[in-house]
Amino acid sequence: MSRAEEDFNMSDIAALTARIERLEHDLAVQQDIHQIRRIQYTYGYFIDKSQYNEVVDLFAEDAEVWFLGGIYQGKAGVRRLYIERFQKQFTQGHNGPRYGWLLDHPQLQMVIDVAQDRRTAQVRARSLMQAGLHHTADGRQRAWWEGGIYENDYVRGNDGWKIKALRYYPFWHGSFAEGWQKTPIDFVAMAKRCYPEDPIGPDALMDPPPRLWPATDTVPFHYPHPVTGQPIVLDNSRAREGFKDG
């Protein structure tokens, strides 16, 4: 074999090796996306049936949750929200469903982007909730609709993918009887006090604080325009103009 033929073969092998490495990487990214989607879907299933202990296990040790104007930090903050607040409030301390409690919480419209090094990922998604307590159940009987957007972060460690930041923006609420057109302003109160002043409060407050429907703010996209590649520019200038308190 001549030197030229040897060089040609080496070039072919290098190109083939590079192609295999790209394919392996692309396949691994698709597997990552599948696992992340599975975890986010499972989060919804766990919330539906008030399996709050299992919800906490989906989060990384240094995770955080953004919810109703508050930021719950670390595994201790995550437990405070899901165990000390939700579990005690919704299921009287029981880890699992209770009679008459409805909280359908489907996870929808996921856009998942995995970083090139496959160590982190970002997710934008939506939830549309039907919730309430049956009139024959003990407690405050009610029924409401709710819709919100997620902008979440994921992190991959030695034990796989976990939620690093769950940022839920529950934009709108409405009673089942009257719908969303008559939702009272500030229908659900935002967090005002932090832990430990509030024993079940967040570790920090969101700044600026969010507003619910009829505010119509758009949460910034973590990804660029999928066709132009340009940043998605938001104009929220009219999103709150109807509020008399400015």
Side-chain angles (χ1 to χ4, degrees):
M1 181 181 295
S2 68
R3 179 62 180 271
E5 289 175 326
E6 289 180 0
D7 290 344
F8 178 78
N9 288 336
M10 290 300 294
S11 177
D12 279 352
I13 292 172
L16 182 59
T17 300
R19 182 181 180 187
I20 292 172
E21 289 174 351
R22 286 195 303 271
L23 290 172
E24 288 178 339
H25 178 270
D26 290 347
L27 175 59
V29 168
Q30 293 304 312
Q31 292 172 330
D32 292 335
I33 290 172
H34 172 72
Q35 184 62 24
I36 291 166
R37 183 181 291 112
R38 186 185 183 95
I39 292 173
Q40 190 66 43
Y41 281 154
T42 301
Y43 170 85
Y45 283 121
F46 285 160
I47 291 290
D48 288 349
K49 292 302 181 182
S50 302
Q51 294 177 257
Y52 299 114
N53 295 349
E54 288 79 5
V55 167
V56 170
D57 290 338
L58 296 175
F59 287 85
E61 290 298 321
D62 58 349
E64 61 183 28
V65 179
W66 295 32
F67 179 71
L68 287 179
I71 304 173
Y72 297 79
Q73 297 172 334
K75 215 57 177 291
V78 173
R79 289 192 184 97
R80 193 183 318 125
L81 176 62
Y82 290 101
I83 306 298
E84 297 301 317
R85 179 174 173 176
F86 291 165
Q87 190 176 87
K88 290 182 178 180
Q89 177 182 350
F90 296 142
T91 58
Q92 302 167 332
H94 173 66
N95 186 58
R98 77 175 181 98
Y99 173 80
W101 175 238
L102 175 69
L103 194 68
D104 280 350
H105 195 264
Q107 310 293 288
L108 308 167
Q109 292 181 299
M110 279 186 220
V111 177
I112 303 172
D113 290 297
V114 177
Q116 182 67 21
D117 63 5
R118 299 182 49 237
R119 304 298 298 176
T120 61
Q122 293 175 289
V123 178
R124 188 180 183 91
R126 179 185 300 278
S127 180
L128 179 63
M129 188 189 305
Q130 302 168 72
L133 187 65
H134 195 266
H135 73 95
T136 61
D138 293 333
R140 178 187 170 196
Q141 288 87 33
R142 51 185 173 145
W144 78 94
W145 299 93
E146 179 178 332
I149 293 287
Y150 297 99
E151 268 289 349
N152 297 347
D153 293 343
Y154 272 75
V155 63
R156 185 170 66 89
N158 294 331
D159 51 352
W161 286 98
K162 292 183 179 180
I163 302 172
K164 176 65 181 297
L166 187 138
R167 304 182 188 91
Y168 178 59
Y169 301 85
F171 281 137
W172 62 270
H173 295 73
S175 71
F176 185 82
E178 296 187 324
W180 41 87
Q181 88 242 23
K182 294 185 179 180
T183 302
I185 301 298
D186 298 326
F187 180 63
V188 180
M190 294 293 164
K192 302 295 183 186
R193 298 181 300 148
C194 292
Y195 178 83
E197 180 184 356
D198 179 354
I200 58 172
D203 297 280
L205 300 179
M206 294 170 61
D207 185 21
R211 295 295 295 266
L212 295 171
W213 169 262
T216 56
D217 301 57
T218 301
V219 174
F221 293 77
H222 74 259
Y223 55 91
H225 189 290
V227 174
T228 68
Q230 298 300 309
I232 299 174
V233 179
L234 306 182
D235 183 357
N236 285 327
S237 60
R238 299 194 60 188
R240 304 188 183 190
E241 64 184 2
F243 289 115
K244 295 180 180 178
D245 60 5

